[in-house]
Amino acid sequence: MNDSSHPFWSSCGHDRLARNARGWLSPTDAYWRLWLQRPELALVEESCAAEQALHGALMETPTRAVAPAELDAFEDADARANHRLFLGFRDAVIAAGSLEAAYAGFFKAGAIQIPPLFLDLVVQALVCRLLDGETDAWQWRAAETLFRRQRVRVQEGRVLSGDSEVLDLLNETGGLGAVGRLLMQSGATLPETQIEVLGDDNAQRYLRSRAGNGRFNFVLDLTHEIQNELPHGLTLTMTRAQSGLKALAAVLEKWVRHFHGVEVKIQPESRVEDPSWRWHVGLDVESTALLNDLYLGREVEPERQQRLISLFRLTFTDPQHMRADVRGKPVYLGLAMGADGLLKLKPQNLLLNLPLANPM
């Protein structure tokens, strides 16, 4: 996959997956062993004899069948529940034959039984597959939004997206962990911790920061192109050399191609003026509800409209890949933050809701 001498985001196990004939990712024993070493499943000092025995057996043979009695013997209820969740996930992936098939199947089944953490780790591994060999730092940072919740802020006219977990931790501890939390509780003043906005001057540093588990501490600029209204009805558009929105669009194009095997072009749009608007897909819960209301002609409060970060125009390179009733029409995508400023992309929406002639 990627050069093993420069590992990155290793916690998701992308470097322990094999590619099948279709190019999709199949789990190996090493992949499952990595899961067994996660904090949710790893042995601790208090682990009982039954948990130690099963954990050792799974480390030896990660795909072995586990009898219900082996889990029932666990003394700790949380450990028992965590292992049940893991084994259900493991068995679903093995039965599906690949991470991609399993991931799509989880959502087609209706009620999701897989923990969100598991789904995010799967998407992270898939992102590494999609961007294999990619040197554009903006695409890598934009891809983080597919599996990491973002906190979006509008600052001096710029729409900035940062990792919510990192930003919240900095607010609580000043970036100094438990010691910082204690100092802040005592009223001490902590040195300001800087979060960098990804730019030309630090793009290579960002790429290096992915080593290991990554730090997720670079902010992505999601500001639209700047338009200045000139006399005589002319509009001057100043294109941003490096756009987080364009980078996200490029990642989503790869996502659609990888799962559906079709080529699409996705372009950020600041507004939609289309009287024949026929199809839309929200990329998150907020934009889904917002686009539905706008499509149905319902009044949308200005404050809610302001949560819309961007629209995107998706077109199929070959219209024959679309359903006949909307063939040749654009598909509009929406991206919006909640009232709390949080953004959680749902990349599965592009697996389930595109108007494909031959859906998955």
Side-chain angles (χ1 to χ4, degrees):
M1 201 169 261
N2 285 275
D3 185 350
S4 60
S5 65
H6 299 286
F8 61 92
W9 290 350
S10 56
S11 63
C12 70
H14 71 91
D15 52 347
R16 304 184 184 205
L17 292 159
R19 295 185 188 179
N20 62 21
R22 185 176 178 177
W24 284 11
L25 302 177
S26 299
T28 65
D29 283 355
Y31 178 71
W32 296 125
R33 289 190 181 101
L34 182 64
W35 277 87
L36 291 164
Q37 294 164 5
R38 289 190 56 81
E40 300 84 1
L41 297 169
L43 294 176
V44 294
E45 186 176 347
E46 297 80 11
S47 297
C48 67
E51 183 181 350
Q52 293 179 37
L54 180 58
H55 194 275
L58 286 171
M59 287 295 289
E60 179 70 24
T61 310
T63 58
R64 75 183 285 273
V66 176
E70 294 182 88
L71 291 176
D72 293 339
F74 279 28
E75 294 178 3
D76 185 80
D78 289 338
R80 187 185 312 119
N82 288 344
H83 278 74
R84 280 205 175 104
L85 288 170
F86 162 70
L87 291 170
F89 168 73
R90 181 203 67 176
D91 292 347
V93 172
I94 292 173
S98 69
L99 286 190
E100 289 89 339
Y103 179 78
F106 294 148
F107 296 101
K108 288 181 180 179
I112 307 298
Q113 303 297 325
I114 305 300
L117 171 63
F118 289 17
L119 296 174
D120 287 340
L121 288 169
V122 168
V123 173
Q124 186 176 7
L126 294 178
V127 161
C128 291
R129 162 67 180 87
L130 297 179
L131 297 182
D132 187 19
E134 179 59 63
T135 60
D136 180 12
W138 281 264
Q139 287 194 40
W140 280 101
R141 176 58 185 87
E144 290 181 20
T145 66
L146 274 65
F147 60 89
R148 299 280 299 186
R149 187 175 64 173
Q150 305 292 299
R151 186 172 293 281
V152 181
R153 293 176 181 170
V154 180
Q155 182 176 322
E156 298 179 353
R158 300 173 72 186
V159 181
L160 302 177
S161 172
D163 188 274
S164 68
E165 182 178 328
V166 171
L167 293 176
D168 292 347
L169 183 62
L170 286 174
N171 286 335
E172 292 179 12
T173 70
L176 299 179
V179 173
R181 184 177 290 108
L182 290 173
L183 289 172
M184 294 186 76
Q185 290 174 352
S186 68
T189 301
L190 300 181
E192 183 178 355
T193 302
Q194 295 294 325
I195 296 293
E196 297 183 82
V197 179
L198 184 61
D200 290 327
D201 59 334
N202 58 22
Q204 291 305 310
R205 187 160 66 252
Y206 164 77
L207 291 174
R208 291 193 298 271
S209 78
R210 298 171 305 150
N213 294 334
R215 293 184 294 161
F216 303 114
N217 61 341
F218 281 72
V219 171
L220 185 65
D221 191 337
L222 295 176
T223 311
H224 263 285
E225 295 176 335
I226 301 172
Q227 291 189 338
N228 293 327
E229 300 295 334
L230 302 177
H232 310 295
L234 299 177
T235 301
L236 174 63
T237 300
M238 301 174 62
T239 303
R240 305 175 84 74
Q242 297 290 353
S243 166
L245 292 174
K246 288 184 177 179
L248 177 58
V251 172
L252 296 178
E253 289 172 0
K254 292 181 171 74
W255 179 267
V256 172
R257 181 192 310 125
H258 184 64
F259 275 94
H260 296 301
V262 301
E263 296 287 340
V264 297
K265 178 64 178 176
I266 301 177
Q267 178 67 36
E269 301 280 353
S270 59
R271 63 177 63 88
V272 172
E273 296 177 356
D274 186 350
S276 59
W277 176 358
R278 295 290 304 278
W279 202 279
H280 61 267
V281 177
L283 296 174
D284 55 89
V285 172
E286 187 74 24
S287 66
T288 297
L290 180 61
L291 289 180
N292 286 342
D293 286 344
L294 291 173
Y295 182 75
L296 295 173
R298 296 171 180 160
E299 185 175 352
V300 177
E301 303 85 352
E303 185 275 334
R304 190 174 164 214
Q305 290 188 42
Q306 291 174 1
R307 298 180 206 160
L308 187 65
I309 298 168
S310 182
L311 296 164
F312 298 86
R313 180 187 180 98
L314 180 152
T315 54
F316 284 75
T317 301
D318 183 354
Q320 295 302 313
H321 288 138
M322 299 183 71
R323 277 176 30 176
D325 57 330
V326 293
R327 189 162 294 156
K329 301 290 185 181
V331 175
Y332 295 105
L333 312 179
L335 183 70
M337 58 180 163
D340 54 4
L342 293 176
L343 165 66
K344 184 65 172 75
L345 255 69
K346 298 171 73 68
Q348 67 268 24
N349 287 1
L350 290 174
L351 306 186
L352 304 175
N353 301 327
L354 286 180
L356 291 159
N358 298 299
M360 294 179 64

